[in-house]
Amino acid sequence: MTNVMVDARSVRKRYGSNEVLKGISLTVEQGEVLCIIGPSGSGKSTFLRCLNHLESINGGRIIVNGELMGYRQVGNVLHEMKPSEIARQRQSIGMVFQRFNLFPHMTALQNVIEAPIGVSKVSAAEAKKLGQELLAQVGLAEKADHYPSQLSGGQQQRVAIARALAMKPTLMLFDEPTSALDPELVGDVLDVMKGLAKAGMTMIVVTHEMGFAREVADKVVFIDKGQIVEMGTPKEVLDKPQEARTKAFLNKVL
């Protein structure tokens, strides 16, 4: 018996006449790591943003933790939830962006504990203890009192991961978390993500890091022009792709 954490069914997304997602369907089980690869502009990041309803969808449905995401169904019609209800749903979903989006006027520790105190109403003492544990987990215990401007890009991204983990999510979404980093800083961030995967965190990762996908992913999905072209294990998709479009993409990036 498996527990499905994410169930995306025929998800469609349009911006005006431009249909960016053309019926994406996939499932992610609890504890599974899914890596999404594909060329720029293929809809990967848009799909990720739809999963926690940062973007509304124009068709299909997304179920996270057994709950319809962003909508309430009445009969056969979906009605968008109130912002407060969507915010409640998002509390169980951590998201790490390409850009770190840290508050520049707050220290690393303050960035991490802001949401537990403000949203979850955790006491300051409890939040500080949790924040220090999470910064230690991402290898930044000694940087707790540093401001973002005093940290490297890789360190800022690790603070962003700790901040996402502070809400104790059951699902983590990563949108090309290393693409804005200098090459020598990428490894530290990927090591933190590998640690999360080993600890059993359910993760969906949009990435250009094929080595990471090969090593950590349970499933790899190749998306092009808003559609899933190929899906399977890393060995199936990365080493023995069946589709010509997948082969052409991998020939350029591997």
Side-chain angles (χ1 to χ4, degrees), residues 36 131 141 173 201 223 230 250:
I36 302 176
L173 308 176
M201 176 63 75
I223 292 180
E230 198 157 349
L250 292 172

Side-chain angles (χ1 to χ4, degrees), residues 118-135:
V119 178
S120 302
K121 308 306 178 191
V122 172
S123 72
E126 188 180 342
K128 188 174 180 181
K129 180 173 180 288
L130 171 66
Q132 288 168 332
E133 288 171 357
L134 288 171
L135 287 173

